[in-house]
Amino acid sequence: MKLKLFHSTVLLFSLFSAAASAQDDAVAVDRGQKTFMRVGCYECHGTDGKGNEAGTALTPDTLPPEAIANFIRFSPGRMPVYPEEVLSDAEIEDIVAFLESVPPSPDADDIDILKGLTPEGE
Amino acid sequence: MTSSSQKTKASVGRRNFLKTAVVAGASTALPTDSEAATGKKAASDSSSSQGLAAPSAEQMNMEASTPEQLAEAQPDQLAANTESGAAKSFGSDFMIDVMKSLDLDYVFSNPGSSFLGLHESITVYGGNSKPEFITCMHEESAAAMANGYYKAALKPAAIMCHGTVGLQHASMNLYNAWCDRVPLIAILGNTVDAADRMGATTWRHSAQDPVAMVRDFTKWDDQPASLQAFAESMVRGWKIATTPPMEPIALAVDSTLQEMEIGDGERPKIPRYTPSEPPQGARGAVRETAKLLVEAETPVIIVDRLARTPEGMRLLVELAELLNVPVIDIASRQNMPTNHYLNQTRQSGRLIPSADLILGLEVTDFWGQVNSVNRAEMTSEPRVKDGVKLITISVNDLYMKSNYQDFQRYAPVDISVSGDAEATLPALIEEVKEAMSRSRRRTLAEKEKIFRKMHADSFEESRQLAARGWDSSPVSTARMSMEIYEQIKDEDWALVSVGASERFISSWPHRLWNFDEHYRYLGIGAGGGVGYGLPAAVGAALANKKLGRFSVNIQCDGDFMYANGALWTAAHHRIPLLTVMHNNRAYAQESMLVQGTANRRKRGVERASIGTLIQDPNIDYAKLAEGMGVWSAGPIENPDDLRPALIEAVKVVKSGYPALVDVVTQMR
């Protein structure tokens, strides 16, 4: 009986922890999305980080926060430099959480008007 | 109002004048230059063949007084006036005869008191045909329309405005035309004789030297003092404008001269117009260029405004195929077909640094092609390897004016051929054939396989990238571009404008559409002046209407708000044009730049959007269009709503009317 009670308690705790963790993740995703918009990442990378000619795709295969921080603190190219005073490491972690939550795009071959395109224009 | 009674009275009667006009009009029935160049006949009635129109009740009511009907009605009225002896001949009538002799199709204008005589002569004496008065909402729009018209029709049009306030408005798009090497004729009303200036407004609308304001970016100008001088200056100006380097010219036309009565026997002569042959590069320099091209292992050709005509594209393809040399097309005109395996524009970052010879054909900013600039760091460095041979063929050195700096940074080169590149290509091709041995030809032929693979790989990469964010809202620029293409690809389409830069939509059309004809793309507003896109598209669509082409304009929202009255012109003159709004609710380019500056200065970015976003309130472009009599749909935020809206819009355009689809888009 005691063992059953113990198992139930552990299960409840685990469920609670998972729910709390999921909630934390959702909060981080929401915060990350807001930061992504506020500091203007979306202007070059798109509102969901899918990228375009102005800014590279940030998702899928999002880089870890440290790699992103390293790049944007010392950007050598057209990308504006974001110092820590403008965008903190914690905010970058939130942005990564947001980018990892973005659902993947369809494949070109699954899109009717992209499927038949050829370089010869036929 | 005038002192015309003091002027010379000539003896040419109204009947003889009319006969002259009829003869001149008959001569204009011949195929235009552009029709001859494209080998296509003008569509006689773009609206009748489709039968898909869904015009509104208002539009149906407007049919009772279409410009075409008015044009047809005028000669009868004119004849009646002539029979009754009510009409005399005026200076402005003669000016219209001069314009008819040049086969001028259109005058883009809005009314002004300093050119009342010309206005009346166009619509009444000239029957509002050759030229036809196209009613504009702004002189800036008029200049952009003439710009777009030339690039589609390959034939100059005129604008007409006050020499003072009107020209002040028109000047920005005259500058765009200047930077774009577009010939147009600016006719500026002015009242030279102070004694003829009746009232304060006429004084305000007069100037000693009205062209002074735009002289830095017009090729030639005059203010003729007699009708004979007008005839010669108009023909001379036309000739100067259309000789490479092609540029706008301006004629200030005295209002008193417009009103001068012409009597019998003193009608001035209209000089014969003979176009000048474009200047060609010197044979020796061309031969040396050919020799180096044949010897080069990794040559690259860069083109910008090479193809003035379809022949330019054909010649470029011939040269490129002879040598199997990759072509980078900056595409201020459509120089190289995008479906050709030697169009390697997307590979410029790989090809230019490894080139051992770079040939620039009508490239305005050649320095910018062989150097890279770090805007943030304010530094630059060569992007070519040591020892690369640099050769240019262009009319750049025949083009200079000193004040405005669009001639770009000085580029040191090994051979500089001064001559029109399109006109020089036949000689270059001949010299290349001469210089190439059979074995060399075989060696170069082996490159074809490599470039075909590069071309295919590049296309496939773009196709895959286009899928990213396909279902995003706001709509991705790739989705918007490809949904448009899906609806127009089976038409004889032309992308008549993308505003100031195709990069604003991540260059999706040139990455995935098939630009296989010279007219498929007309370049951008070359001076970067905002307010070019929509009116230039309307002007081009007017030309394409006659040529039976389907015109599409991808329209940036910021640019739209500068000159949206051009939509009314399209509705009024029944100009079929599909406009699709790239509505990112921002001056996005500047937004990025301000953001970069704020970051560099470590001041945060929260305020970077002040002055750069077009939000709060959001603009409803569909309602704006509807208010000007244009069929519209949107704002569309769900990408799945785009296709049905475009299908309807294409039906409207094919029935002969303009249509606008407002798409809320990603920034780029």
Side-chain angles (χ1 to χ4, degrees):
Chain A
M1 183 66 188
K2 278 184 181 175
L3 193 62
K4 273 189 180 176
L5 186 64
F6 174 74
H7 282 158
S8 298
T9 306
V10 168
L11 184 62
L12 274 173
F13 181 77
S14 300
L15 287 171
F16 179 77
S17 296
S21 172
Q23 198 172 20
D24 286 349
D25 287 351
V27 169
V29 166
D30 183 57
R31 244 187 353 242
Q33 185 174 22
K34 284 177 177 153
T35 305
F36 193 78
M37 299 299 286
R38 178 176 59 79
V39 301
C41 307
Y42 77 100
E43 294 185 20
C44 298
H45 300 284
T47 52
D48 45 13
K50 298 278 175 72
N52 53 52
E53 200 170 63
T56 187
L58 304 175
T59 178
D61 306 323
T62 303
L63 293 172
E66 302 75 28
I68 290 186
N70 187 53
F71 183 79
I72 68 175
R73 304 260 187 262
F74 309 100
S75 168
R78 284 187 304 169
M79 165 88 187
V81 171
Y82 277 77
E84 197 160 1
E85 298 91 314
V86 175
L87 192 62
S88 70
D89 288 346
E91 287 174 315
I92 291 173
E93 283 181 26
D94 289 341
I95 287 175
V96 169
F98 160 62
L99 292 171
E100 286 175 341
S101 77
V102 173
S105 299
D107 189 88
D109 288 328
D110 295 329
I111 298 169
D112 59 349
I113 60 178
L114 294 180
K115 195 162 46 185
L117 290 177
T118 67
E120 291 78 25
E122 290 156 2
Chain B
M1 78 164 257
T2 130
S3 59
S4 60
S5 60
Q6 298 164 9
K7 309 287 182 187
T8 308
K9 298 278 199 314
S11 59
V12 175
R14 186 68 174 187
R15 283 172 188 276
N16 288 340
F17 230 56
L18 275 172
K19 278 182 193 167
T20 310
V22 168
V23 170
S27 71
T28 60
L30 294 168
T32 63
D33 294 345
S34 57
E35 286 162 357
T38 57
K40 292 186 178 181
K41 291 206 76 148
S44 57
D45 183 357
S46 61
S47 63
S48 63
S49 60
Q50 308 302 337
L52 298 169
S56 65
E58 289 82 352
Q59 285 171 325
M60 293 300 287
N61 288 335
M62 286 165 70
E63 293 287 0
S65 58
T66 63
E68 291 81 358
Q69 286 175 331
L70 285 172
E72 283 172 15
Q74 296 298 351
D76 293 341
Q77 185 187 342
L78 186 61
N81 287 346
T82 308
E83 292 302 324
S84 68
K88 299 173 181 173
S89 294
F90 297 92
S92 55
D93 295 342
F94 172 73
M95 293 173 186
I96 301 308
D97 283 346
V98 179
M99 294 177 195
K100 284 181 184 294
S101 79
L102 292 166
D103 195 27
L104 176 66
D105 289 326
Y106 296 107
V107 172
F108 297 95
S109 183
N110 41 348
S113 57
S114 60
F115 51 89
L116 282 174
L118 273 167
H119 187 156
E120 194 267 353
S121 291
I122 289 171
T123 56
V124 179
Y125 169 74
N128 200 29
S129 176
K130 300 275 182 179
E132 180 183 346
F133 193 106
I134 301 295
T135 314
C136 302
M137 299 275 101
H138 197 293
E139 293 86 348
E140 182 180 87
S141 295
M145 285 182 201
N147 191 335
Y149 181 82
Y150 173 77
K151 289 198 279 186
L154 304 181
K155 193 176 176 195
I159 67 165
M160 193 163 67
C161 60
H162 281 307
T164 53
V165 290
L167 185 57
Q168 287 161 21
H169 275 161
S171 60
M172 188 282 285
N173 268 320
L174 273 177
Y175 184 61
N176 268 339
W178 168 261
C179 295
D180 209 6
R181 295 189 184 168
V182 167
L184 66 84
I185 314 297
I187 295 169
L188 315 173
N190 192 31
T191 303
V192 177
D193 187 344
D196 284 349
R197 295 175 192 163
M198 299 296 119
T201 302
T202 313
W203 274 89
R204 290 188 202 104
H205 289 173
S206 299
Q208 287 182 341
D209 182 9
V211 187
M213 184 168 45
V214 296
R215 187 160 291 132
D216 283 320
F217 44 91
T218 44
K219 193 174 176 186
W220 183 80
D221 67 85
D222 195 16
Q223 184 163 246
S226 69
L227 291 176
Q228 186 60 58
F230 172 86
E232 291 175 21
S233 290
M234 183 76 190
V235 176
R236 185 196 301 271
W238 188 279
K239 186 170 181 169
I240 289 171
T242 54
T243 301
M246 297 184 183
E247 296 295 357
I249 65 103
L251 283 182
V253 181
D254 184 17
S255 64
T256 306
L257 199 60
Q258 296 172 43
E259 293 299 330
M260 178 187 291
E261 288 183 23
I262 301 177
D264 291 339
E266 291 189 10
R267 185 175 183 271
K269 285 185 70 173
I270 300 174
R272 185 156 54 101
Y273 164 63
T274 309
S276 290
E277 290 299 320
Q280 294 179 30
R283 197 72 186 207
V286 171
R287 186 171 298 133
E288 180 63 14
T289 299
K291 181 172 162 287
L292 291 172
L293 270 171
V294 171
E295 290 170 356
E297 293 301 325
T298 53
V300 171
I301 295 176
I302 306 176
V303 288
D304 191 3
R305 290 188 179 81
L306 159 72
R308 290 185 286 100
T309 71
E311 180 65 2
M313 177 184 271
R314 192 195 66 73
L315 290 166
L316 176 62
V317 168
E318 185 179 350
L319 176 67
E321 286 181 350
L322 257 179
L323 294 156
N324 262 317
V325 57
V327 175
I328 311 296
D329 192 351
I330 302 170
S332 289
R333 302 291 185 273
Q334 190 62 49
N335 299 288
M336 188 74 181
T338 53
N339 64 344
H340 195 285
Y341 70 96
L342 289 170
N343 187 327
Q344 296 285 342
T345 305
R346 302 290 303 173
Q347 301 304 319
S348 65
R350 288 169 59 188
L351 292 169
I352 290 177
S354 60
D356 62 356
L357 182 149
I358 298 175
L359 171 63
L361 300 174
E362 298 298 352
V363 179
T364 306
D365 183 17
F366 191 70
W367 184 93
Q369 292 300 314
V370 295
N371 290 274
S372 61
V373 175
N374 185 328
R375 206 165 169 165
E377 302 291 328
M378 302 282 285
T379 58
S380 64
E381 59 181 356
R383 63 191 289 231
V384 292
K385 64 183 185 185
D386 288 343
V388 62
K389 293 281 182 200
L390 301 177
I391 304 172
T392 55
I393 303 177
S394 80
V395 286
N396 287 349
D397 293 338
L398 308 174
Y399 162 83
M400 292 299 150
K401 291 224 178 180
S402 54
N403 191 14
Y404 286 76
Q405 303 280 303
D406 66 297
F407 42 77
Q408 304 293 329
R409 192 160 175 179
Y410 180 78
V413 295
D414 296 284
I415 300 177
S416 174
V417 182
S418 204
D420 176 66
E422 181 175 315
T424 305
L425 275 188
L428 181 61
I429 289 167
E430 198 180 309
E431 293 291 349
V432 165
K433 286 177 180 169
E434 194 74 22
M436 192 150 48
S437 65
R438 269 192 200 164
S439 64
R440 186 63 181 156
R441 193 183 291 263
R442 277 196 299 275
T443 305
L444 294 177
E446 287 166 12
K447 293 182 177 180
E448 178 176 337
K449 199 183 293 179
I450 297 166
F451 287 123
R452 281 195 185 279
K453 183 171 185 318
M454 283 172 67
H455 185 255
D457 288 350
S458 174
F459 185 88
E460 179 58 17
E461 183 188 17
S462 289
R463 196 178 73 89
Q464 292 295 340
L465 287 173
R468 288 190 178 170
W470 190 255
D471 298 318
S472 295
S473 176
V475 181
S476 76
T477 53
R479 176 80 181 259
M480 176 183 70
S481 301
M482 297 316 294
E483 292 282 2
I484 296 169
Y485 189 55
E486 178 67 10
Q487 298 310 319
I488 66 166
K489 66 183 183 189
D490 295 328
E491 309 294 332
D492 191 15
W493 58 270
L495 180 59
V496 290
S497 183
V498 290
S501 173
E502 197 191 6
R503 282 189 296 180
F504 292 174
I505 49 169
S506 291
S507 307
W508 286 113
H510 269 89
R511 290 164 83 169
L512 291 173
W513 298 15
N514 180 14
F515 290 82
D516 58 350
E517 298 280 356
H518 178 255
Y519 58 78
R520 297 254 190 256
Y521 184 65
L522 305 181
I524 57 171
V530 184
Y532 162 89
L534 181 64
V538 170
L542 178 63
N544 284 342
K545 179 182 179 181
K546 280 187 184 172
L547 296 164
R549 299 173 189 152
F550 186 100
S551 300
V552 60
N553 166 38
I554 298 179
Q555 178 63 48
C556 297
D557 51 348
D559 184 273
F560 179 92
M561 291 306 291
Y562 273 67
N564 54 54
L567 273 185
W568 179 88
T569 299
H572 179 69
H573 288 280
R574 311 293 188 268
I575 299 171
L577 169 66
L578 171 61
T579 292
V580 181
M581 295 298 301
H582 167 37
N583 177 10
N584 58 16
R585 294 175 172 160
Y587 297 109
Q589 174 73 13
E590 280 64 31
S591 183
M592 292 175 191
L593 294 174
V594 174
Q595 186 190 78
T597 304
N599 282 336
R600 197 174 67 245
R601 294 174 177 180
K602 299 185 180 180
R603 295 181 179 178
V605 291
E606 281 79 1
R607 297 187 175 206
S609 61
I610 295 174
T612 56
L613 297 186
I614 310 174
Q615 301 173 359
D616 190 19
N618 295 329
I619 297 169
D620 190 330
Y621 297 100
K623 275 189 182 165
L624 267 173
E626 186 187 5
M628 287 186 267
V630 172
W631 184 97
S632 62
I636 290 171
E637 299 191 30
N638 180 346
D640 291 338
D641 294 339
L642 187 49
R643 193 173 303 183
L646 285 170
I647 289 171
E648 287 306 307
V650 167
K651 285 180 185 173
V652 172
V653 174
K654 287 174 75 173
S655 70
Y657 293 89
L660 179 144
V661 177
D662 179 14
V663 187
V664 180
T665 49
Q666 298 282 338
M667 285 283 191
R668 286 288 180 89

